């Protein structure tokens, strides 16, 4: 009986070991790829779960709120090629363009071209020094990595619209934006992850990111920290985020990214996942007319008619990085929303009732 028991034990162990994958650079995106990503309308229905081996994560209850298709393009075709001579690819995103360098061991984010940062309406191209690591290879269970990235960019106020400084007691000579990123990555689990339309063997990487952003202005030769003198901007200050990345050994998209409350990891605050073209078993009830009444594009005012809804609604507006830039609850009837405090660009709105998506779409804010 002992030889038979040993054979069975070896077989079970071998089967278990086969599920523990190694993620290689064959999963790195390349020029010409189209990455298909869905954002969940009900992230609260799943949790990241515990660390460990041979886990089973069932995310099939997620439904697709919005979908994004990102085309990976040759860096030579970008508008900021001269600013990022070492880049190999770039991607167009809602706020501009992001530039990457791909090597056999890593995808690194070199920086980005943006038409506005932290509320400042200016075209700038910050460069990370060192570059921000997006994905490594190979990735194995128990891997632990630390990384840092930062940028410091200074520009004259001559390129900033005068209206931006209308509320200032003075007009500065220059603006300086500094951002520092400190990240700890731990591959703490492996197992099987199921999302709408697919089942994948994955490694899970826990990423804790501390981001600190400051804006300073130069007046009469002296640099002043705006936060220190009581002038606030969105995205400025120190922030810690905690997210779990589920990597497959066969797909170029990250299968899922689960963002949780850093103080209570049982609270899921957002999920994006590989879009397989499947919505889910849950489908929002169709409405006879759109809740969003426009205008599109908008110059700062939005109109919604929530009268068809039978219960108070939640309205959330996200930027293209998935961050909530406006949220309001208990809404009903006719609604006029002012968003002229946001920077120009593309946003996603979501109307939900009792945690269920009712309507979502994109907004284009112009100034």
């Amino acid at each position: 009986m002992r030889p038979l028991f040993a054979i069975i034990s070896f077989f079970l162990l071998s089967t278990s070991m086969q599920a523990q994958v190694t993620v290689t650079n064959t999963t790195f995106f390349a020029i010409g790829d189209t990455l298909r990503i869905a954002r969940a309308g009900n992230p609260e229905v799943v949790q990241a779960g515990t660390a460990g081996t041979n886990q089973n994560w069932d995310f099939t209850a997620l439904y697709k709120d919005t979908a994004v298709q990102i085309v990976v393009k040759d860096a030579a075709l970008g508008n900021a090629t001269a600013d990022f001579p070492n880049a190999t690819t770039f991607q167009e995103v809602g706020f501009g363009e992001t530039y990457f360098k791909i090597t056999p061991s890593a995808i690194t984010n070199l920086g980005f071209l943006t038409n506005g940062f932290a509320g400042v309406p200016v075209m700038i191209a910050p460069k990370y020094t060192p570059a921000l690591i997006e994905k490594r290879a190979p990735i194995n269970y128990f891997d632990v990595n630390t990384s840092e990235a930062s940028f410091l960019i200074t520009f004259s106020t001559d390129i900033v619209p005068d209206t931006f400084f209308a509320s200032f007691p003075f007009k500065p000579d220059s603006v300086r934006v500094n951002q520092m990123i400190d990240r700890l990555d731990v591959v703490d689990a492996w197992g099987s992850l199921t999302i709408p339309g697919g089942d994948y063997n994955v490694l899970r990487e826990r990423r804790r990111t501390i981001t600190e952003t400051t804006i300073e202005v130069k007046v009469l030769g002296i640099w002043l920290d705006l936060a220190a003198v009581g002038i606030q901007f969105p995205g400025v200050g120190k922030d810690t985020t905690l997210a779990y990345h589920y990597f497959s050994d066969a797909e170029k998209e990250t299968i899922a990214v689960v963002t949780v409350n850093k103080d209570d990891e049982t609270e899921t605050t957002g999920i994006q996942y590989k879009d397989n073209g499947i919505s889910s078993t849950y489908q929002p009830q169709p409405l006879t007319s759109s809740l969003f009444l426009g205008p599109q594009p908008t110059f700062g005012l939005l109109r919604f008619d929530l009268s068809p809804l039978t219960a108070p609604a939640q309205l959330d507006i996200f930027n293209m990085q998935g961050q909530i830039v406006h949220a309001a609850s208990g809404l009903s009837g006719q609604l006029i929303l002012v968003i002229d405090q946001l920077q120009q660009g593309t946003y996603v709105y979501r109307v939900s009732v009792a945690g269920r998506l009712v309507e979502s779409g994109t907004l284009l804010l112009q100034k």
Side-chain angles (χ1 to χ4, degrees):
M1 290 297 291
R2 287 184 179 179
L4 178 59
F5 177 79
I7 292 173
I8 294 173
S9 299
F10 176 78
F11 174 78
L12 293 175
L13 178 61
S14 300
T15 302
S16 175
M17 291 295 289
Q18 289 174 6
Q20 183 181 334
V21 298
T22 295
V23 178
T24 69
N25 60 16
T26 60
T27 64
F28 286 0
F29 55 70
I31 294 172
D33 287 342
T34 298
L35 308 178
R36 295 174 170 83
I37 300 168
R39 292 192 175 96
N42 57 338
E44 69 282 353
V45 302
V46 302
Q47 292 184 354
T50 58
T53 62
N54 204 22
Q55 301 288 321
N56 287 286
W57 298 283
D58 184 358
F59 291 179
T60 53
L62 295 174
Y63 66 76
K64 182 166 52 180
D65 182 346
T66 56
V68 179
Q69 293 190 11
I70 301 174
V71 179
V72 182
K73 299 182 180 180
D74 188 335
L77 303 177
N79 293 310
T81 301
D83 294 296
F84 303 99
N86 296 322
T88 52
T89 70
F90 84 99
Q91 298 173 10
E92 294 177 333
V93 289
F95 60 84
E97 300 172 351
T98 302
Y99 287 79
F100 301 92
K101 181 179 180 180
I102 302 177
T103 67
S105 60
I107 298 175
T108 55
N109 181 339
L110 302 183
F112 52 92
L113 174 69
T114 178
N115 57 11
F117 184 83
V120 183
V122 62
M123 185 70 71
I124 55 175
K127 306 173 186 63
Y128 287 113
T129 305
L132 179 63
I133 296 175
E134 296 286 345
K135 190 176 183 180
R136 298 178 176 87
I139 306 174
N140 289 290
Y141 182 50
F142 275 148
D143 281 356
V144 178
N145 292 284
T146 59
S147 58
E148 296 180 348
S150 65
F151 70 75
L152 176 64
I153 187 166
T154 304
F155 51 90
S156 169
T157 55
D158 291 341
I159 62 175
V160 181
D162 288 340
T163 54
F164 179 76
F165 300 105
S167 61
F168 278 49
F170 49 77
K171 181 177 180 180
D173 303 316
S174 304
V175 178
R176 183 164 68 187
V177 182
N178 184 23
Q179 184 175 93
M180 296 179 290
I181 298 174
D182 180 8
R183 209 176 77 208
L184 171 65
D185 304 339
V186 180
V187 183
D188 67 350
W190 62 266
S192 175
L193 171 62
T194 306
I195 60 173
D199 189 1
Y200 305 90
N201 290 325
V202 297
L203 292 173
R204 188 183 77 172
E205 183 176 75
R206 182 184 188 271
R207 291 187 176 182
R208 184 223 60 191
T209 305
I210 300 174
T211 304
E212 186 169 8
T213 306
T214 59
I215 296 181
E216 299 171 287
V217 295
K218 191 175 186 180
V219 182
L220 300 176
I222 300 174
W223 286 103
L224 300 174
D225 185 337
L226 290 183
V229 297
I231 301 176
Q232 301 295 325
F233 287 90
V236 172
K238 192 171 185 179
D239 185 39
T240 300
T241 59
L242 186 57
Y244 289 89
H245 294 241
Y246 298 77
F247 296 114
S248 160
D249 62 340
E251 301 292 341
K252 296 190 176 184
E253 296 96 341
T254 305
I255 305 305
V257 179
V258 179
T259 304
V260 301
N261 183 334
K262 67 181 186 300
D263 299 317
D264 181 5
E265 294 193 32
T266 63
E267 179 185 347
T268 303
T269 59
I271 297 181
Q272 69 177 45
Y273 58 96
K274 175 178 169 57
D275 185 3
N276 291 312
I278 305 297
S279 294
S280 80
T281 55
Y282 169 77
Q283 296 294 327
Q285 292 297 317
L287 300 171
T288 57
S289 61
S290 175
L291 301 177
F292 174 54
L293 303 181
Q296 183 75 288
T298 178
F299 295 93
L301 290 177
L302 301 174
R303 295 177 59 242
F304 289 85
D305 182 7
L306 306 180
S307 302
L309 304 180
T310 58
Q314 168 85 22
L315 172 62
D316 298 303
I317 298 179
F318 302 81
N319 62 22
M320 296 309 289
Q321 292 74 55
Q323 299 167 321
I324 296 179
V325 295
H326 179 86
S329 59
L331 304 176
S332 61
Q334 300 285 332
L335 175 66
I336 297 178
L337 180 66
V338 180
I339 61 168
D340 59 356
Q341 78 280 7
L342 301 178
Q343 60 185 267
Q344 177 173 292
T346 302
Y347 296 86
V348 174
Y349 75 87
R350 181 178 71 192
V351 179
S352 57
V353 174
R356 295 289 194 179
L357 173 69
V358 178
E359 180 178 296
S360 65
T362 57
L363 307 168
L364 179 60
L365 173 61
Q366 294 184 348
K367 293 187 175 181

